[in-house]
Amino acid sequence: MTAELVRGQNHPLPHTRLEIRVSAGKPVVAAAALSDEDGRVPGTEWVAHPSQPALPGVVVSRQAAADHLLAVDLSAVPASAHRVTVLLALPMGPGRPVRFGAVAAPFVSVGPPGGDEIATYTVTGLDTESAVVALELYRRQGAWKVRAVGQGYAGGLAACLTDQGLDRAGELAAVVHEAVAPGLSRTLGTPPPRTTEVRHSAAAAAAAGDTGPSPDPGPVSGAGAGAPTSGRAAPQPPPQTHGGPVDYSHPRRQSAAPPSPPPAVPPAEPGRPPVPVAGDATGWSMEERLYNQVWGMFEDLARTTAAYRGAVDFADSRLDQELDRTLSDPRSRITGAGDGARETARAKHDELTGRAREALERDLAQLAAESEVVEPALPPAFARWDSPVWHGYRVPMEIPMALRLGDLHLPERPELRIPMLVRLPLERGLWVDSGRATSEAAVTLDEARLRALAVDTAVAHAARLLAVHPAGEFTVHVIDPAGSAARSLAPLVRSGVLDGPPAAGAQGVSTVLAKLTQRVDLVQMAVRGGAADALPPDLDTAQQLLIVNDFPHGFDDRAVTQLRYLADEGPAVGVHLLMVADREDASAYGPVLDPLWRSLLRITPVPDDHLADPWVQHAWTYEPPSVPEGSDVLGLVLAKVAEARRTWRR
């Protein structure tokens, strides 16, 4: 029976090999500190954190994420360590929450690998704190116990580490935040709230053939379970599940019904999975149901793939261990029994991986069937450019809840594409990377061709943003200092949807940046002073998008500072950046521009596997949106947008 702890309560731990799971509404940093008999952490080498994820007996995640899995082997913890303390902290950065009171209360559970939870604790009562000691595992009379702590720190991770007795805690906190910053910049937002865990059938299939509790019966070390590497899920044991295919009764598809119920799902034939239906998630409108359904598909694919990879890694690890035992046994070499043992081990490995693959294929087939139903039902804001929905396009009366920026897929099934939906208004700017150094597909292209593709991608995004906003609710500005993007920008210029001609030269750059910087200042002052009606009558209150091409050409130091200011402060008051740039072109600025690049969501004009999901941190291949060859859908849509703008201004 699971013990639900309250602050200060403890509970015995009957197992030494444990998994500590953390669930939070927003990405958090997880760390674990080993302390001596006096409760003091002797040095930084006693703290497991994203830059140093593995200590003897403890492994933590390398990234900030909404869900964490920490692996603990208490039998491998040094004898001088009497306490293992689990620390959580909010990562720093533009647009990130600065206090736990603004996010959902973190939930922490402790249990054996693949087994039932021993104890759980919901860390409540936090407000201004940005770091917290969630719980601690401690020795007592030769046995281990877990205690719910819930001690928060308004001074952040540095204050939390200082309270653990660590010298130079501020330096370590800075290292931790710096380590998770790159991962945060490529993570796709925060998923809609969920109520229960999604089942992992691939791992269940592997577990059905083996009762081993973990992939490694020895001490936890290295990048083991729960330590994502290079954005991918780390090896972990198959969790205890009920098996079977992906359940279409997704948590977000089975909660309290909204006033407008989802479509009825046709009954499935006996022994077959339910028939997928577009809009079977919860929501107050069809748009919201489809949005939640797409995110549910995204999560299902991420988790079933993680289960499959974990099951394969488990089988590989088991095979290595059995082969090592065979080779280390002198009797097997003398009697010849080693050949049989090796064949048996390989047969078991093939059986486990085969079952995992079979379960994965079943899940992928169901998700592909759902995708075939959902894709044609998506509204313009969510649809591909080749969707028939654009043929009947009309300028909307309301702003949609999200926007499609492209597609995502994993190598296990590249043809299964998940729409990449981001919430509106945009929470961060976009950066279309025109560089060749960071993408395998980009290396094969001519530099001029790649830069042209980058601007084409930016234009497609800008056109969609204009198309999904009501007339007069979205304004686009363009900075093209050298005029090098004239061909790609032609659809926007010809249709008349821009606020003005693309700004050229240093003077044009300065004028546009000064205008938007002033707008941010005025709106901020009005909001903080509660005087929104005091804004100048000629101020454009629509959402603003600034497309910047060929950065940093034409930018002096003042312009660079203004651009950074817009990237940091603009999204909160309706000013957004869409950068088309090669980071190498701005290398002369050094680390000064690092915060700028991190504040933007990097996308590419060619397929590239640089984005991560918020659950298990898989590396997903991003496919940019593309207008069908020979299609004039972009021109037709922009013409309708321009006509609506002219009508609105009369």
Side-chain angles (χ1 to χ4, degrees):
M1 182 175 178
T2 302
E4 298 181 2
L5 305 181
V6 297
R7 185 173 182 177
Q9 186 178 3
N10 60 53
H11 189 78
L13 292 172
H15 305 277
T16 57
R17 293 185 62 80
L18 301 168
E19 290 179 347
I20 301 176
R21 296 182 180 271
V22 178
S23 297
K26 295 282 186 179
V28 297
V29 179
L34 305 181
S35 53
D36 57 23
E37 193 171 6
D38 298 326
R40 181 178 177 276
V41 179
T44 57
E45 68 278 6
W46 285 51
V47 182
H49 54 81
S51 279
Q52 177 183 275
L55 294 180
V58 180
V59 178
V60 303
S61 302
R62 295 177 182 268
Q63 302 287 347
D67 296 310
H68 286 275
L69 173 63
L70 284 66
V72 178
D73 183 356
L74 296 175
S75 64
V77 171
S80 56
H82 290 257
R83 188 176 304 170
V84 180
T85 305
V86 177
L87 318 174
L88 304 178
L90 293 172
M92 301 170 63
R96 301 288 172 190
V98 297
R99 60 188 186 91
F100 273 110
V103 302
F107 174 81
V108 187
S109 66
V110 182
D116 295 333
E117 297 169 339
I118 299 171
T120 64
Y121 174 44
T122 302
V123 189
T124 58
L126 300 177
D127 185 12
T128 60
E129 298 88 348
S130 58
V132 62
V133 174
L135 51 80
E136 61 182 14
L137 315 179
Y138 64 98
R139 300 180 195 262
R140 180 60 56 86
Q141 297 178 349
W144 285 90
K145 292 186 176 183
V146 57
R147 176 185 291 120
V149 181
Q151 176 62 54
Y153 298 86
L157 185 58
C160 179
L161 292 171
T162 299
D163 198 43
Q164 300 297 310
L166 181 66
D167 295 332
R168 306 172 69 178
E171 295 180 12
L172 179 58
V175 168
V176 171
H177 287 300
E178 184 68 22
V180 300
L184 286 169
S185 66
R186 66 186 184 89
T187 300
L188 294 175
T190 303
R194 61 197 303 269
T195 55
T196 58
E197 290 295 326
V198 180
R199 298 184 297 181
H200 308 307
S201 60
D210 186 86
T211 57
S214 74
D216 181 8
V220 176
S221 62
T229 305
S230 301
R232 296 187 178 273
Q236 47 183 285
Q240 186 179 37
T241 66
H242 301 291
V246 172
D247 186 358
Y248 277 94
S249 301
H250 193 273
R252 288 190 295 279
R253 308 173 193 179
Q254 288 293 311
S255 55
S260 177
V265 178
E269 298 178 14
R272 299 182 64 86
V275 178
V277 173
D280 73 337
T282 58
W284 295 85
S285 64
M286 187 60 173
E287 178 191 52
E288 185 177 0
R289 292 198 293 270
L290 287 169
Y291 172 81
N292 285 335
Q293 186 173 14
V294 168
W295 269 87
M297 294 164 57
F298 186 18
E299 181 175 5
D300 285 346
L301 181 54
R303 292 189 182 276
T304 196
T305 303
Y308 166 72
R309 293 177 182 177
V312 171
D313 288 339
F314 168 71
D316 291 344
S317 176
R318 180 189 178 93
L319 175 63
D320 290 342
Q321 293 168 26
E322 292 185 352
L323 292 178
D324 288 344
R325 283 197 295 268
T326 300
L327 292 173
S328 62
D329 186 355
R331 292 172 298 177
S332 65
R333 296 194 296 269
I334 296 173
T335 63
D339 293 340
R342 283 191 290 271
E343 289 301 322
T344 301
R346 291 192 179 97
K348 184 65 173 178
H349 172 271
D350 293 343
E351 180 185 3
L352 292 176
T353 56
R355 290 182 180 180
R357 187 71 201 189
E358 180 182 353
L360 175 68
E361 291 296 335
R362 183 174 60 241
D363 289 353
L364 293 180
Q366 293 176 47
L367 287 170
E370 185 173 17
S371 177
E372 291 176 359
V373 172
V374 170
E375 189 68 51
L378 296 178
F382 300 175
R384 293 194 302 249
W385 282 114
D386 61 356
S387 171
V389 72
W390 290 107
H391 298 305
Y393 166 75
R394 294 182 180 180
V395 177
M397 300 298 292
E398 296 181 349
I399 300 174
M401 67 181 300
L403 183 85
R404 186 173 190 158
L405 290 182
D407 294 329
L408 300 168
H409 64 82
L410 291 172
E412 280 76 7
R413 184 68 69 86
E415 65 273 18
L416 178 55
R417 307 292 175 87
I418 302 295
M420 176 181 165
L421 303 182
V422 297
R423 292 298 298 262
L424 290 178
L426 296 173
E427 297 178 352
R428 58 197 294 201
L430 304 175
W431 165 30
V432 183
D433 189 354
S434 59
R436 303 177 64 197
T438 56
S439 170
E440 292 183 8
V443 172
T444 63
L445 294 176
D446 174 76
E447 182 176 347
R449 175 59 178 159
L450 183 60
R451 290 180 183 270
L453 282 176
V455 182
D456 290 343
T457 301
V459 169
H461 289 313
R464 186 184 291 266
L465 282 164
L466 283 163
V468 303
H469 282 80
E473 293 292 326
F474 200 80
T475 302
V476 177
H477 312 263
V478 176
I479 290 178
D480 186 20
S484 59
R487 185 198 62 80
S488 297
L489 294 171
L492 298 177
V493 176
R494 282 198 307 264
S495 61
V497 295
L498 297 179
D499 183 64
Q507 182 59 44
V509 171
S510 176
T511 300
V512 173
L513 291 177
K515 177 181 178 180
L516 292 177
T517 300
Q518 183 185 43
R519 183 192 184 280
V520 171
D521 290 338
L522 290 173
V523 175
Q524 280 186 338
M525 287 188 292
V527 171
R528 291 168 182 168
D533 55 349
L535 289 169
D538 60 342
L539 183 75
D540 184 1
T541 57
Q543 295 279 313
Q544 309 285 312
L545 177 70
L546 173 60
I547 303 176
V548 178
N549 180 51
D550 206 16
F551 176 80
H553 183 81
F555 281 72
D556 56 19
D557 289 346
R558 176 178 174 82
V560 170
T561 300
Q562 289 176 317
L563 191 69
R564 289 183 55 190
Y565 176 72
L566 293 178
D568 292 341
E569 304 294 335
V573 291
V575 177
H576 313 282
L577 289 183
L578 177 48
M579 298 269 292
V580 181
D582 179 357
R583 189 168 182 172
E584 290 298 317
D585 292 343
S587 59
Y589 287 93
V592 172
L593 290 182
D594 286 353
L596 171 65
W597 305 119
R598 286 199 296 262
S599 69
L600 305 173
L601 176 61
R602 176 179 173 259
I603 52 182
T604 52
V606 292
D608 188 47
D609 59 349
H610 67 283
L611 294 174
D613 64 80
W615 302 285
V616 292
Q617 293 283 302
H618 286 318
W620 293 72
T621 297
Y622 167 76
E623 294 274 353
S626 59
V627 178
E629 189 73 25
S631 172
D632 193 32
V633 61
L634 212 62
L636 295 175
V637 169
L638 289 175
K640 292 185 177 182
V641 171
E643 177 60 29
R645 285 167 60 89
R646 287 190 291 269
T647 302
W648 174 77
R649 287 173 176 171
R650 292 172 185 166

